[in-house]
């Protein structure tokens, strides 16, 4: 679960990391008031959960409360990368000497926490580091051994910071480590971590992602869980499906995580891009299949639906009835291709064919038909 910048900064502050003075506002009047309180130049930062706000116009500067008022009026209610801006963080504008990148994340392969750092912080860090891989330092930390001060020495040197910044860097790194452990964070990121004109390290931007699997330990986050989900992710969760949204155009329904993943791979192999991963689970009833297929048929990004079912405890006739019902309700506007075999296959096939839906036993044949349908539609 992603936290908003203002929430992440509150936490960072609590752990002793310097962040700019700021207030959260929901209307231009509040922005005016906070800007006057801060005095001087301010930064207005859209509180949305998508990244890259700066490049998308979600971070703006103002020289006076009046200017802040006008800019806030434009920002509030607008969309940044699809997300509506409901709150802005009004902050003092910091004079930046250098923008650094520093994060702490979990490396599952290493089973360790890993600091990632770069002197090329700011809005283009990903591209820059890709071009200059030597500008990225990784420091792996065994969570059982814990944080050690020498990590900050290595980093201080890599970032070519003056030695008198060592203590500050050390306490920031230690704070990140403690945040990660205390809150079960998958990511604690400061980008930029600014070296200010007055020679201090200040987290100008903060991002924290809490591991969803540990939310039960953190009731304060638990109650916010789900606010970062899309409409369809929320519906799928209410229905109890394992559902992940992807970038493609074909909705996928399969039963069992293994078959669902294999289906993803096979589709990609054929050059078909899945729009999602939806696992209806074992023994799915006609009702569940109906809800799953309907959800996908209503999804604006989905151009066609591919259903791949292996009938074990799942019965193909149940699947077929669910598919027919969903298609009937949505008016057969989008193509649906079914591949199924196993328990009650004959009965299932008969039900689908009666409704004019083609059924395949071979995955490859089904996907070729699917691709044809996508290209045609
Ligand atoms: P992001 O684009 O969502 O990552 O938003 P950031 O909070 O990282 O802001 C984007 C960029 O705006 C930063 O990399 C800075 O260059 C600039 N910026 C943000 N806050 C300040 C500030 O207080 N002072 C100055 N000079 N620049 C800022
Ligand atoms: Mn940033």
């Amino acid at each position: 679960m992603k936290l908003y910048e203002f929430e992440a900064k509150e936490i960072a502050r609590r752990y002793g990391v310097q962040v700019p003075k700021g207030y959260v506002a929901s209307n231009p009047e509040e922005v005016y008031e906070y800007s006057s309180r801060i005095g001087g130049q301010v930064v207005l930062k859209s509180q949305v959960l998508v990244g890259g706000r700066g490049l998308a116009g979600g971070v703006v500067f103002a020289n006076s409360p009046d200017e802040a008022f006008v800019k806030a009026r434009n920002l509030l209610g607008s969309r940044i990368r699809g997300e509506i801006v409901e709150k802005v963080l009004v902050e003092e504008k910091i004079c930046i000497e250098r923008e650094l990148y520093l994060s702490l994340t979990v490396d599952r392969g290493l089973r360790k926490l890993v600091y990632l750092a770069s002197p090329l912080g700011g809005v283009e860090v990903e591209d820059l580091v890709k071009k200059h891989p030597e500008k990225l330092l990784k420091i792996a930390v065994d969570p059982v051994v814990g944080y050690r001060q020498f990590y900050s020495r290595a980093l201080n040197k890599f970032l070519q910071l003056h030695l008198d910044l060592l203590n500050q860097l050390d306490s920031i790194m230690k704070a990140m480590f403690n945040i990660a452990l205390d809150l079960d964070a998958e990511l604690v990121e400061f980008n930029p971590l600014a070296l200010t004109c007055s020679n201090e390290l200040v987290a100008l931007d903060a991002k924290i992602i809490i591991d969803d699997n540990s939310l039960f330990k953190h009731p304060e986050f638990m109650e916010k869980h789900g606010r970062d989900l899309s409409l369809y992710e929320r519906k799928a969760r209410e229905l109890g499906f394992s559902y992940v949204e992807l970038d493609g155009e074909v909705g996928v329904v399969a039963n069992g995580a293994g078959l669902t993943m294999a289906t993803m791979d096979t589709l990609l192999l054929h050059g078909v891009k899945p729009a999602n991963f939806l696992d209806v689970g074992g023994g799915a009833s006609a009702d569940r299949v109906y809800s799953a297929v309907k959800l996908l048929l209503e999804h604006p990004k989905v151009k066609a639906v591919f259903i791949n079912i292996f009938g074990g405890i799942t019965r193909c006739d149940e699947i077929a009835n669910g598919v027919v019902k969903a298609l009937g309700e949505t008016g057969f506007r989008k193509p649906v291709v079914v591949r199924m075999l196993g328990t009650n296959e004959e009965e299932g096939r008969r039900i689908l064919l009666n409704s004019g839906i083609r059924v395949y036993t071979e995955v490859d044949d089904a996907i070729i038909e699917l691709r044809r349908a996508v290209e045609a539609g």
Side-chain angles (χ1 to χ4, degrees), residues 118-136:
S118 173
L120 306 176
V123 294
E124 285 179 320
V125 65
E126 277 99 354
D127 292 341
L128 288 173
V129 164
K130 240 176 245 164
K131 253 186 258 161
H132 306 279
E134 77 285 358
K135 297 280 191 206
L136 183 72

Side-chain angles (χ1 to χ4, degrees), residues 66-81:
D66 283 318
E67 192 185 348
F69 181 89
V70 174
K71 290 201 166 158
R73 212 170 39 190
N74 293 331
L75 214 50
L76 284 159
S78 73
R79 279 176 191 270
I80 300 294
R81 304 216 160 155

Side-chain angles (χ1 to χ4, degrees), residues 247-281:
D247 293 332
E249 51 192 18
V250 169
V252 178
V253 177
N255 61 331
L259 181 61
T260 314
M261 282 193 276
T263 307
M264 301 277 126
D265 287 348
T266 317
L267 284 170
L268 287 168
L269 203 64
H270 283 267
V272 179
K273 297 210 170 67
N276 71 284
F277 172 111
L278 193 155
D279 172 10
V280 287

